[in-house]
Amino acid sequence: MAAVQIADSLPCGPSREAAREPPPKQGPGFRRLWARLCALRPDDSSSARTEIHLLFDQLISENYSEHGGVAPEDVSALLVQACRLVHLNQNHLVSKLSQLIHHLLNRLQVIVDEQNLDFLLSYTISAIQQCSSWTHVEILQALAALVYCNGSKCQKYLPELLGKSGLLMKLSEPAQSDPEVRRAAVHCMANLCLSVPGQPYLDEPYQNICFQAFLTTLQSPKSCDMDDITFCMLLQNALKGIQSLLNGGKMKLTQTDKLGALLAVLKKSMFHGLPGLNLEMPMVLYPTLLPQYDGRPPAKPQQSESSTSQPTGNKKKKSKVKPKKVQHGDEEEDESSGEMEVSPVTGSGTVSLHEGNTQGSSSLGIQSLALNGSGAAGKDRVSSSFSSSSWKRVSSSESDYSDAEGGMQSKMRSYQAKVRQGALACFLSTIKSIEKKVLYGYWSAFVPDTPELGSPQSVSLMTLTLKDPSPKTRACALQVLSAILEGSKQFLSVAEDTSDHRRAFTPFSVMIASSIRELHRCLLLALVAESSSQTLTQIIKCLANLVSNAPYNRLKLSLLTKVWNQIKPYIRHKDVNVRVSSLTLLGAIVSTHAPLPEVQLLLQQPCSSGLSNSSSATPRLSPPDWWKKAPSGPSLEEATVNSPRGSSEPCWLIRLCISIVVLPREDSCSGGEAGSAAGSTYEPSPMRLEALQVLAHLARGYFSTARVYLMELGEVICKCMGEADPSIQLHGAKLLEELGTGLIQQYKPDSTTAPDQRVPVTLVVMFWTMMLNGPLPRALQNSEHPTLQASACDALSSILPEAFSDLPNDRQILCITMLLGLNDSKNRLVKAATSRALGVYVLFPCLRQDVIFVADTANAILMSLQDKSLNVRTKAAWSLGNLTDTLIVNMETPDPSFQEEFSGLLLFKMLRSAIEASKDKDKVKSNAVRALGNLLHFLQPSHIEQPRFAEIIEEAIQALISTVLMEAAMKVRWNACYAMGNVFKNPALPLGTAPWTSQAYSALTAVVTSCKNFKVRIKSATALSIPVKREHYGSVEQYAQIWKALVTALQKSEDTTDFLEFKYCASLRTQICQALIHLLSLASASDLPCIKEVLELNGDMVRSYILQFLKSEEEGDDSGAPHSLQERDQMVKMALEHISGVQPLAGDTAKRVIMGFLEEILTVYFDSAGSHVALLGLTNP
């Protein structure tokens, strides 16, 4: 082997290359020692060995930090030179050299370059093969330091190290007699598995070999000759190796046995050394069988950038943890090596998990969760040796253990805690590497359930949270639990315990509800008992994740009330991160399933409610009126002292958030905290940002509570947007947008808000006048902060239309001018927001008949449709659809002046742009076809007569036809069918005679019979029922095709494999029946034979569905569908009247058959309704 040949050549002969001169720029100590090393030659004499020994000792003891350090390439060259001096038969020197390699690489944090690495690896591998076994520990330590972050450069040595009979495989076996050698070998393997960004990773076969070796190590019991600390370090290294494979190698755990075995050892390791616990685990955890569920993630509503369940500034950021170079070596030399730290929390209160040998993400952005079931994943019970007294925590301070605990016992417990932390970090990586639906099956193995009467509590992550003496471990367990809970809303939505279940079995929904209740109970217990601020932050964040995902609308009341009352005191905690996370939790409460009656009552609670029950050990709030200080500006005075209308108490949460944002901070809170500017008198920035987010959540979910503070919140917004901090300005703009949206919702036709409970339009006008006279225009012009500009545009688009018309004229002009001007912005974020805002304004009643404004808006939108950004084009297409809606509304007004004044050239350009946009991505296409339908509907005879329009009309209709038929998103096809219906509404178009007529009908009939999406079928049936004249349906053959297609569609109206479509079956049948009756009411004598033929084959089926249509309260999908039973039977009567008036062809009996069919339907219908209505006069004898 290459390594042996090189090693054998080392002891004899001169060195292969001339010794390097000592580097001139290094410190005097290094230069002196380098010069002495270069002067030496390989010599086996006793004096030479002694001199080399002394020189190595000096190199190890030298202080390299005093003179600016040493260049990495010089360290590598020195080590190569040292290797050339030491023969492999000189065991003591080899051992000392290995110590030197390990020390220098760790101390100076050097990663060896590839050329020198090749030589040094050959030497160390040969040393393991040839030197005495007592040297193996030191050599393996050197090897671990060499391969650290160099795994991708060791490919050619992997067969020797990791092959079937590889060195590391042999030395890491459980049968290895020397436990220190075994531990060092596993350490080497773990370092080999480390990933370096941009570098290739281990090949999959080697990944699997290492994974199995680490798994075997974790599964093997401690041998009798291994001490506890060595065993702990062995487990730590194995856990690091698996974590590296999962993070850097992106290893996929697709096999159930493989994943189950890993989860079993992780659960066992999570409780390693925990006082009083003796956990017996099976070799493999198996998942609980799940009921069927929709695995698709729930649609996320468009909302502000901040998440309700995560503190400000930490929504989607994944903080990469850089590996510590000190961890090249072993844990016994550097106790921090491999320790999973709870890093100091800054800003948003994030506590990050990281462990030294692993480069990976510590983010909690895990969209996964596990299942609470009763299978083999089950609840591992605590053994009988477990006693409550043994769970008492050793420490009550911020440190892991008290000073009274010393010596080896303290050291051993520290190492045991590191094993638990390493297992939790590895579990976090496992969660990220598997699908949520897979993780669901192991829910009950890690998440607590309410114990049955007389049964012991199951061992879970909450066991660590409540009982582990190390605050770091408790924080890590909470971080893992947060990762499980985050994104679990869909899974937890099955929970239900609102009714008593007295059955022979426990329903799955009740089991999940029980687990949710137990999580609430345990986390609130942990909240009261916790003394570490960092761990306290994690508890509150975990509660926020739970609150954001639990289905409180399906659970019994009081869960949120308990959380609400428990968290109140922590808003005044000394640690800023605890205060921020407390606000995050309150924000989660007011945003989950809003509006909830329980939360509505909490918002109306007296200010002091819930404080008296808090533990004496927890910090308390000041008196209930602590926020009622003199405001920082006179404009807040009147709003602050007045209580809301109809409420005996002010809203505690709104007052709290306002005071945090605008009032100076209290002396009780520490001054130099993260996020607070030097000399600032306000609360730290993260606190103020979180308070603004809570206000935005309240405005969105509980506007009825927030509306009474409208003017006061307006003052807060003005103050925020007038500050220098862009993030404060941004959150002020977000709050303004939410308030504006809430005001608009109150005035919508379908609003449930009583008219006397709405904010008066006059007050809304005052509110927006204050905004437009304040800092909002400056924010719109702040080109240095485009995100703020975009948010200001969004806020400006949330003006209530009724209020906009009452704004002073100069303010209206200001809004329009700024939006039209910002549409030319080079920033795509701003341009997208501006395009959307213009699409909102063009619908305002006071603006939509202004031809100049509509034309200016059209030109701006057409320009944005050409933008390179998909987001800009998407917003522009939506606005174009809105603008064309405005054209239709104006067309329906008595005054024809708008149609006459609107530019034909601009109309032509809009058609051209919409056709091009219909070929874009689906997000653009869906609104482009909507616009096309409106434009073709709007065309006047004067336009259609022009030759230049003939070609583009044909092209536009062909674009619609192709979109109806293409395999696009269902929303696109739905809009295309809707647009086709709009085309049919234009009487000036040659529908029925133009060549495209048959193509259009063929497309719609194909969709109504075969599209898998029933909403698209409904809209196509609606379009087919729109033409009002028989000639619009074209030839007899065309009419027959439509009639047969509708009957076929009716017959297939329940044929679907997607159960989600069944809820649209009734609406589809309603629309098809309406279309069939409409066709009958227009039929000519030539059409009757075809109708008769179809009825003879399918008459019973059609009759039964039409009778359902007449009797059912189900409304059609289209707004033109009949809304009452009287209107429906009137349709059938009119069809019967029409048929009775048709002059049949000679010898044709179709008329009588069809009339008999309709008469029978009416007779059955009226008889079943108990009504006796004479049909005389409707029929001819």
Side-chain angles (χ1 to χ4, degrees):
M1 290 187 295
V4 176
Q5 292 169 357
I6 292 174
D8 289 343
S9 68
L10 289 173
C12 56
S15 60
R16 295 186 175 187
E17 59 184 45
R20 283 182 61 183
E21 290 299 321
K25 295 184 180 179
Q26 307 298 345
F30 183 84
R31 291 183 62 192
R32 176 174 49 82
L33 295 171
W34 173 275
R36 288 179 55 191
L37 192 69
C38 290
L40 294 175
R41 291 291 179 269
D43 190 347
D44 202 23
S45 66
S46 175
S47 59
R49 288 200 301 271
T50 302
E51 185 177 1
I52 294 174
H53 256 296
L54 291 173
L55 184 56
F56 285 174
D57 282 335
Q58 287 179 292
L59 282 166
I60 291 173
S61 61
E62 179 71 22
N63 185 356
Y64 295 100
S65 60
E66 288 185 353
H67 304 287
V70 183
E73 59 271 19
D74 294 328
V75 175
S76 301
L78 182 144
L79 293 176
V80 169
Q81 176 65 15
C83 289
R84 296 186 188 282
L85 296 175
V86 179
H87 295 249
L88 293 181
N89 60 357
Q90 299 172 332
N91 286 324
H92 287 87
L93 272 180
V94 170
S95 175
K96 182 68 69 174
L97 173 60
S98 299
Q99 292 175 31
L100 176 65
I101 294 172
H102 175 255
H103 176 80
L104 287 182
L105 295 183
N106 277 322
R107 179 72 179 275
L108 300 176
Q109 298 190 11
V110 171
I111 296 176
V112 181
D113 60 275
E114 190 165 1
Q115 181 179 357
N116 289 319
L117 177 69
D118 190 53
F119 178 87
L120 293 170
L121 281 178
S122 297
Y123 183 89
T124 50
I125 291 172
S126 298
I128 294 174
Q129 293 169 334
Q130 298 181 35
C131 293
S132 300
S133 59
W134 66 264
T135 64
H136 286 178
V137 172
E138 285 79 10
I139 298 172
L140 286 169
Q141 288 177 355
L143 181 60
L146 287 168
V147 301
Y148 180 81
C149 287
N150 268 328
S152 61
K153 302 171 187 172
C154 303
Q155 296 292 333
K156 72 176 182 179
Y157 298 102
L158 292 180
E160 290 181 72
L161 295 172
L162 300 176
K164 192 171 183 180
S165 58
L167 290 175
L168 296 182
M169 299 306 298
K170 287 182 178 179
L171 297 176
S172 64
E173 289 177 346
Q176 169 60 235
S177 58
D178 188 339
E180 284 291 343
V181 170
R182 182 184 174 199
R183 182 205 58 76
V186 172
H187 188 202
C188 284
M189 291 174 65
N191 279 7
L192 266 173
C193 293
L194 271 173
S195 65
V196 178
Q199 295 292 328
Y201 199 66
L202 287 179
D203 293 336
E204 189 173 346
Y206 289 117
Q207 289 187 44
N208 292 328
I209 288 170
C210 290
F211 179 85
Q212 193 55 50
F214 296 139
L215 195 62
T216 302
T217 301
L218 293 169
Q219 290 172 335
S220 303
K222 182 172 78 72
S223 58
C224 56
D225 59 344
M226 183 180 290
D227 63 83
D228 288 331
I229 289 180
T230 302
F231 185 55
C232 286
M233 290 191 291
L234 175 68
L235 296 179
Q236 283 183 61
N237 287 324
L239 289 166
K240 291 173 193 174
I242 290 178
Q243 190 177 5
S244 295
L245 288 170
L246 294 172
N247 288 349
K250 307 298 180 186
M251 192 174 188
K252 297 301 178 185
L253 300 169
T254 54
Q255 299 173 9
T256 302
D257 287 349
K258 194 174 182 179
L259 174 60
L262 175 60
L263 291 177
V265 296
L266 287 181
K267 183 167 184 179
K268 186 176 180 181
S269 302
M270 278 162 44
F271 297 98
H272 179 78
L274 197 62
L277 182 63
N278 182 18
L279 184 65
E280 295 297 330
M281 286 293 300
M283 289 293 288
V284 179
L285 282 179
Y286 290 102
T288 305
L289 292 177
L290 292 178
Q292 286 191 345
Y293 71 100
D294 182 13
R296 291 174 293 183
K300 295 184 179 178
Q302 290 184 355
Q303 56 182 1
S304 59
E305 292 186 12
S306 57
S307 169
T308 62
S309 62
Q310 295 178 341
T312 307
N314 193 35
K315 178 166 185 203
K316 292 186 179 177
K317 294 181 182 176
K318 293 187 177 180
S319 55
K320 291 288 182 181
V321 180
K322 190 174 181 180
K324 296 180 182 178
K325 299 299 190 299
V326 297
Q327 292 165 358
H328 291 180
D330 296 312
E331 289 78 7
E332 73 270 27
E333 295 198 6
D334 186 351
E335 197 167 314
S336 68
S337 177
E339 180 173 355
M340 182 164 53
E341 301 284 353
V342 179
S343 63
V345 190
T346 59
S348 63
T350 303
V351 178
S352 60
L353 281 174
H354 63 274
E355 63 95 15
N357 273 6
T358 302
Q359 181 163 354
S361 169
S362 63
S363 166
L364 290 186
I366 314 294
Q367 300 288 320
S368 53
L369 182 59
L371 170 72
N372 179 3
S374 57
K379 306 174 178 69
D380 304 285
R381 302 294 178 181
V382 183
S383 68
S384 58
S385 64
F386 173 79
S387 64
S388 59
S389 61
S390 64
W391 284 115
K392 291 180 180 176
R393 293 182 185 165
V394 178
S395 161
S396 61
S397 66
E398 293 285 334
S399 61
D400 269 358
Y401 303 96
S402 64
D403 294 336
E405 204 174 324
M408 287 301 295
Q409 187 74 4
S410 175
K411 186 176 182 181
M412 185 185 73
R413 292 197 175 182
S414 175
Y415 275 96
Q416 288 173 339
K418 290 174 186 177
V419 172
R420 298 197 294 274
Q421 293 159 18
L424 289 165
C426 194
F427 189 20
L428 194 62
S429 297
T430 305
I431 292 171
K432 297 176 185 179
S433 66
I434 59 178
E435 294 181 28
K436 287 190 294 182
K437 64 181 180 181
V438 175
L439 188 57
Y440 291 162
Y442 300 94
W443 169 271
S444 60
F446 298 98
V447 181
D449 191 7
T450 305
E452 297 177 8
L453 194 61
S455 301
Q457 175 67 59
S458 60
V459 178
S460 68
L461 288 165
M462 285 311 307
T463 308
L464 291 171
T465 302
L466 289 168
K467 305 299 182 182
D468 199 292
S470 164
K472 292 180 182 179
T473 311
R474 298 196 297 273
C476 294
L478 287 160
Q479 202 166 5
V480 172
L481 183 57
S482 285
I484 291 174
L485 289 172
E486 194 165 349
S488 61
K489 182 175 289 187
Q490 185 178 3
F491 171 67
L492 294 183
S493 65
V494 302
E496 185 173 16
D497 68 347
T498 52
S499 58
D500 292 330
H501 296 273
R502 291 184 173 87
R503 306 179 189 177
F505 66 95
T506 304
F508 178 71
S509 59
V510 176
M511 292 167 56
I512 296 297
S514 171
S515 189
I516 292 173
R517 283 198 310 273
E518 184 66 6
L519 279 172
H520 278 81
R521 187 185 73 83
C522 293
L523 286 170
L524 290 178
L525 279 175
L527 183 71
V528 173
E530 188 55 61
S531 58
S532 163
S533 294
Q534 293 175 350
T535 310
L536 196 57
T537 301
Q538 281 300 306
I539 293 171
I540 299 171
K541 288 178 65 180
C542 195
L543 269 169
N545 270 332
L546 176 59
V547 167
S548 296
N549 291 286
Y552 294 100
N553 54 332
R554 297 168 59 89
L555 302 174
K556 290 179 180 177
L557 297 178
S558 81
L559 287 178
L560 284 175
T561 301
K562 291 174 184 176
V563 176
W564 178 277
N565 290 331
Q566 287 269 39
I567 200 60
K568 276 186 175 183
Y570 294 91
I571 295 161
R572 305 303 298 164
H573 194 275
K574 64 181 180 180
D575 188 277
V576 65
N577 302 301
V578 174
R579 302 206 302 274
V580 170
S581 56
S582 299
L583 280 176
T584 303
L585 176 52
L586 288 170
I589 291 173
V590 298
S591 60
T592 184
H593 296 281
L596 285 173
E598 183 179 1
V599 176
Q600 193 75 58
L601 289 173
L602 290 173
L603 291 172
Q604 297 167 4
Q605 214 177 51
C607 299
S608 58
S609 177
L611 299 181
S612 59
N613 294 329
S614 56
S615 168
S616 59
T618 58
R620 292 180 178 273
L621 278 175
S622 302
D625 61 348
W626 62 271
W627 55 79
K628 296 183 181 177
K629 296 181 176 182
S632 55
S635 55
L636 275 173
E637 272 184 29
E638 185 178 349
T640 305
V641 297
N642 291 331
S643 292
R645 295 171 294 165
S647 173
S648 58
E649 286 278 351
C651 178
W652 171 82
L653 186 55
I654 290 180
R655 291 295 182 91
L656 167 70
C657 292
I658 290 176
S659 66
I660 288 172
V661 174
V662 302
L663 298 182
R665 66 165 170 245
E666 293 187 345
D667 295 336
S668 61
C669 301
S670 52
E673 291 153 325
S676 58
S680 171
T681 60
Y682 295 109
E683 286 280 357
S685 181
M687 275 287 286
R688 301 179 72 205
L689 294 175
E690 202 64 44
L692 286 167
Q693 286 191 60
V694 174
L695 288 173
H697 294 321
L698 281 164
R700 184 186 308 127
Y702 298 89
F703 187 76
S704 59
T705 300
R707 66 184 176 83
V708 294
Y709 295 90
L710 182 65
M711 298 308 292
E712 185 174 358
L713 290 172
E715 292 284 352
V716 172
I717 292 166
C718 285
K719 176 174 178 52
C720 290
M721 296 188 72
E723 292 193 19
D725 186 349
S727 59
I728 296 289
Q729 294 179 32
L730 178 64
H731 281 73
K734 296 284 186 186
L735 175 56
L736 175 58
E737 182 186 356
E738 293 294 350
L739 286 171
T741 303
L743 290 166
I744 291 173
Q745 294 293 334
Q746 282 200 326
Y747 278 87
K748 282 192 170 180
D750 58 351
S751 172
T752 57
T753 307
D756 61 334
Q757 293 296 312
R758 296 173 182 171
V759 178
V761 173
T762 53
L763 190 61
V764 180
V765 172
M766 288 174 57
F767 174 80
W768 279 107
T769 302
M770 176 169 62
M771 295 297 106
L772 293 169
N773 289 336
L776 181 58
R778 287 201 301 276
L780 286 163
Q781 295 173 311
N782 190 348
S783 57
E784 293 181 5
H785 299 288
T787 306
L788 175 61
Q789 274 186 299
S791 289
C793 283
D794 291 336
L796 202 61
S797 68
S798 66
I799 296 180
L800 181 70
E802 292 88 339
F804 184 86
S805 59
D806 289 345
L807 284 174
N809 194 49
D810 62 328
R811 299 297 91 181
Q812 292 186 31
I813 294 172
L814 173 69
C815 293
I816 295 168
T817 305
M818 295 197 99
L819 288 177
L820 289 171
L822 284 173
N823 195 69
D824 294 329
S825 172
K826 301 299 181 186
N827 185 277
R828 292 170 181 175
L829 197 63
V830 177
K831 197 165 187 177
T834 306
S835 295
R836 181 188 171 277
L838 287 171
V840 172
Y841 274 46
V842 81
L843 295 175
F844 284 4
C846 62
L847 294 176
R848 65 187 177 208
Q849 290 189 334
D850 184 336
V851 177
I852 296 176
F853 169 72
V854 174
D856 287 344
T857 301
N859 283 312
I861 291 170
L862 294 182
M863 183 176 69
S864 296
L865 272 174
Q866 308 302 317
D867 198 89
K868 293 179 180 179
S869 166
L870 175 60
N871 187 38
V872 173
R873 298 198 307 276
T874 301
K875 294 291 192 291
W878 179 81
S879 294
L880 181 63
N882 283 6
L883 189 145
T884 57
D885 286 342
T886 288
L887 298 183
I888 301 303
V889 172
N890 288 337
M891 186 175 71
E892 294 168 354
T893 58
D895 184 6
S897 58
F898 184 90
Q899 293 101 295
E900 295 168 358
E901 294 177 22
F902 196 77
S903 166
L905 178 60
L906 181 56
L907 200 60
F908 185 88
K909 288 168 61 180
M910 290 167 70
L911 274 168
R912 172 59 59 200
S913 293
I915 291 169
E916 292 303 315
S918 71
K919 303 170 187 174
D920 207 330
K921 303 289 185 183
D922 282 355
K923 289 182 177 181
V924 179
K925 188 181 299 182
S926 61
N927 282 298
V929 293
R930 174 165 73 101
L932 275 177
N934 284 333
L935 289 167
L936 291 169
H937 182 191
F938 180 77
L939 287 175
Q940 305 301 305
S942 58
H943 300 131
I944 296 170
E945 291 166 0
Q946 296 179 31
R948 66 174 178 175
F949 271 95
E951 183 180 346
I952 202 165
I953 289 171
E954 172 76 22
E955 195 176 341
I957 292 174
Q958 291 299 332
L960 288 179
I961 292 169
S962 62
T963 308
V964 168
L965 293 171
M966 73 188 312
E967 288 299 323
M970 292 308 163
K971 182 180 178 182
V972 175
R973 300 182 71 183
W974 187 95
N975 273 353
C977 292
Y978 177 84
M980 195 66 78
N982 266 339
V983 174
F984 294 168
K985 291 177 182 178
N986 190 341
L989 290 172
L991 180 62
T993 58
W996 49 260
T997 301
S998 60
Q999 294 173 275
Y1001 284 131
S1002 295
L1004 291 171
T1005 53
V1007 168
V1008 81
T1009 55
S1010 61
C1011 183
K1012 63 182 180 181
N1013 185 280
F1014 275 25
K1015 292 179 76 174
V1016 177
R1017 289 198 206 181
I1018 291 168
K1019 194 49 65 178
S1020 61
T1022 304
L1024 289 170
S1025 65
I1026 285 176
V1028 294
K1029 295 181 180 180
R1030 169 60 188 87
E1031 53 265 30
H1032 290 165
Y1033 284 101
S1035 65
V1036 174
E1037 292 76 15
Q1038 184 69 63
Y1039 180 97
Q1041 178 195 346
I1042 297 168
W1043 172 263
K1044 289 177 182 177
L1046 287 170
V1047 173
T1048 303
L1050 192 60
Q1051 195 172 15
K1052 296 166 63 176
S1053 60
E1054 291 184 359
D1055 295 350
T1056 178
T1057 55
D1058 188 351
F1059 72 92
L1060 294 174
E1061 296 297 328
F1062 277 114
K1063 61 184 176 181
Y1064 300 113
C1065 285
S1067 293
L1068 174 60
R1069 288 193 292 269
T1070 295
Q1071 204 60 56
I1072 293 174
C1073 287
Q1074 181 186 334
L1076 286 170
I1077 296 168
H1078 177 71
L1079 281 171
L1080 283 173
S1081 67
L1082 297 177
S1084 66
S1086 303
D1087 302 321
L1088 299 184
C1090 168
I1091 298 172
K1092 173 194 169 186
E1093 180 185 344
V1094 174
L1095 289 179
E1096 285 175 345
L1097 291 173
N1098 301 290
D1100 292 341
M1101 181 270 297
V1102 176
R1103 183 185 300 108
S1104 66
Y1105 282 131
I1106 291 181
L1107 281 169
Q1108 284 183 27
F1109 164 70
L1110 291 173
K1111 297 173 185 177
S1112 173
E1113 296 292 339
E1114 180 71 36
E1115 294 185 3
D1117 181 71
D1118 189 73
S1119 57
H1123 295 284
S1124 68
L1125 297 179
Q1126 292 77 13
E1127 288 177 310
R1128 296 186 185 196
D1129 66 59
Q1130 193 61 36
M1131 284 179 61
V1132 180
K1133 290 178 185 179
M1134 289 176 62
L1136 180 56
E1137 250 184 77
H1138 171 77
I1139 296 294
S1140 66
V1142 172
Q1143 293 298 323
L1145 300 175
D1148 188 6
T1149 60
K1151 174 180 176 180
R1152 182 161 298 277
V1153 172
I1154 298 168
M1155 286 179 61
F1157 174 78
L1158 294 174
E1159 287 169 356
E1160 184 180 352
I1161 288 174
L1162 288 172
T1163 301
V1164 173
Y1165 169 66
F1166 286 125
D1167 284 347
S1168 64
S1171 174
H1172 302 284
V1173 179
L1175 298 180
L1176 297 175
L1178 292 179
T1179 61
N1180 291 329

